[in-house]
Amino acid sequence: MTAAAQAARVGVGLGDRAYDVLVGAGLLERAGALIAPFARRRRTAVVSDETVWRLHGQRLTAALEAAGLAVLPVVVAPGEQTKSFAGLADLTDRLLALELDRGDLVTAFGGGVVGDLAGFAAAIYKRGIDFVQIPTTLLAQVDSSVGGKTAIDTPRGKNLVGAFHQPRLVLADLDVLGTLSDREMRAGYAEVIKYGFLGDFAFFEWLETNGAAVLAREPVALSRAVTRSVEMKAEIVAQDETEQGRRALLNLGHTFGHALESETGYGAALLHGEAIAAGQALAFRFSAAQGLCPSQDATRAAAAVAAAGLPTTLADVPGHPFDALRLLGHMAQDKKAEGGRLTFILARALGEAFVAKDVDAGAVLDFLRREGAV
Ligand code: GLY
């Protein structure tokens, strides 16, 4: 059996907007045949960034052309600053210049920035055009490419303007992870371990044993980790597409994490996955401090995060010591905060997260100070 034939197929059950996520090696080479059914006009605009396009653009182009699809590349600058109103205006203008219409297809080929930006452009371009995702980072494969969240950032915060727009297909090619830096792998791993923390204790235990193999991109371990993550994401999204309830669990670690990202400037000093790693360890310790979760679970959670070379304390994050009130201020801005009430994803145990509304700001402040904020 070829590697391509072994790709796992995970369905996202959303009725007439249902789609598949394929996870496996060699999917880039099969992309033409897989995407062709969604490209009614036998062409696709491929939105990518300069780095991904340089590394993998030729292979994807050859695969699409071999299936009779014309490729219209739209290559943008890499980095979070592209996910802005200016970046969106530039991208939609370039799509208009290509004279794409509603029968056409956008292919988002890159990490989370490209997926979020191209997905949002597809959501609003001529009031909506189909798109497919080919995520090229671990983080995008296990999280951002699945579930239809698309957005740009504004100076007031990340992902504040966006839309739900589900892709028609997601191709998670494990081979492209071979060119990721170890640091990017670790950052993506923070979102993998999140699935164990939030709802699958057996997966968490498996990661305790096999996390190093996943990070080393050992094919069997990597495939299992990405597939299980995508299965969990697909199941949650199918139940709660627009985050009225359970989907919020996917934000475990994100309230603390976003506050740290805001303080560190959303740049190379602290990658999103690193912030989320520390955020998850903090969420477990806060849960334990509130008497909601056994403290040994919080200790074990932090040990698993640390074993992957990820931060687990405020002191591990550049910029320490943080101002506790400023961190709290960022948390109050969080998209999950409603009417000034703080919402956190907390844990009752490893593998058992829940949505905690109305969390007491004073308790958070005390906790942050005990964790070393000033
Ligand atoms: N990344 C969280 C979600 O898709 O809901």
Side-chain angles (χ1 to χ4, degrees):
M1 209 170 13
T2 64
Q6 292 167 8
R9 182 181 296 269
V10 181
V12 185
L14 287 170
D16 58 0
R17 288 169 301 107
Y19 56 96
D20 285 334
V21 183
L22 300 188
V23 179
L27 287 172
L28 226 49
E29 281 66 28
R30 292 171 62 203
L34 292 166
I35 287 174
F38 304 101
R40 280 173 276 164
R41 296 187 60 193
R42 313 295 302 165
R43 62 181 196 169
T44 179
V46 180
V47 181
S48 191
D49 72 32
E50 284 151 13
T51 311
V52 170
W53 195 245
R54 180 169 38 77
L55 289 168
H56 307 293
Q58 264 183 349
R59 268 196 311 140
L60 180 63
T61 302
L64 294 174
E65 288 180 349
L69 298 182
V71 174
L72 309 168
V74 183
V75 181
V76 300
E80 192 73 32
Q81 71 285 352
T82 302
K83 235 182 87 172
S84 59
F85 271 112
L88 181 70
D90 175 63
L91 174 56
T92 47
D93 185 59
R94 289 164 76 184
L95 297 178
L96 287 165
L98 293 171
E99 299 185 355
L100 250 54
D101 67 29
R102 282 197 189 151
D104 278 310
L105 180 74
V106 169
T107 297
F109 183 42
V113 166
V114 161
D116 283 5
L117 174 70
F120 188 35
I124 59 174
Y125 183 84
K126 298 190 177 175
R127 300 203 179 89
I129 179 175
D130 284 349
F131 82 118
V132 303
Q133 291 263 25
I134 308 184
T136 57
T137 62
L138 180 59
L139 190 138
Q141 292 191 353
V142 300
D143 186 25
S144 58
S145 68
V146 180
K149 279 190 181 175
T150 72
I152 55 169
D153 307 333
T154 87
R156 292 182 189 277
K158 266 185 71 163
N159 297 330
L160 291 181
V161 175
F164 286 100
H165 187 51
Q166 299 293 343
R168 301 298 308 271
L169 175 73
V170 182
L171 300 180
D173 185 340
L174 301 175
D175 287 340
V176 299
L177 302 182
T179 53
L180 269 196
S181 68
D182 289 344
R183 186 178 178 200
E184 291 281 359
M185 275 303 286
R186 288 195 295 272
Y189 183 82
E191 301 277 8
V192 173
I193 202 166
K194 179 184 81 178
Y195 293 102
F197 286 149
L198 74 88
D200 187 346
F201 179 65
F203 183 48
F204 168 76
E205 283 197 304
W206 181 84
L207 288 168
E208 282 187 314
T209 309
N210 295 282
V214 174
L215 289 167
R217 287 158 257 202
E218 192 275 300
V220 175
L222 185 60
S223 169
R224 173 152 182 202
V226 176
T227 304
R228 182 64 194 133
S229 301
V230 169
E231 281 170 358
M232 288 191 69
K233 176 119 196 206
E235 187 219 305
I236 291 170
V237 166
Q239 283 179 354
D240 179 22
E241 181 181 9
T242 56
E243 200 168 306
Q244 305 304 309
R246 195 165 174 240
R247 184 166 180 168
L249 297 181
L250 296 170
N251 294 320
L252 178 63
H254 284 57
T255 306
F256 286 111
H258 281 159
L260 294 171
E261 281 186 284
S262 299
E263 281 298 280
T264 48
Y266 298 103
L270 184 70
L271 302 180
H272 174 68
E274 293 167 344
I276 272 24
Q280 291 181 104
L282 288 162
F284 265 94
R285 279 202 295 282
F286 183 62
S287 303
Q290 296 294 100
L292 299 165
C293 159
S295 62
Q296 61 268 30
D297 282 21
T299 306
R300 193 168 162 191
V305 171
L310 287 161
T312 61
T313 65
L314 295 180
D316 292 339
V317 175
H320 169 77
F322 294 95
D323 183 309
L325 277 171
R326 281 180 62 98
L327 290 178
L328 193 68
H330 294 307
M331 291 173 189
Q333 303 285 324
D334 195 272
K335 282 197 293 311
K336 292 188 297 304
E338 283 173 27
R341 295 177 309 162
L342 294 176
T343 298
F344 279 77
I345 312 307
L346 299 180
R348 290 195 184 88
L350 288 162
E352 219 185 300
F354 68 99
V355 181
K357 297 205 169 186
D358 253 337
V359 172
D360 179 42
V364 177
L365 209 53
D366 285 349
F367 171 74
L368 288 170
R369 290 195 172 122
R370 283 199 306 279
E371 288 281 329
V374 291

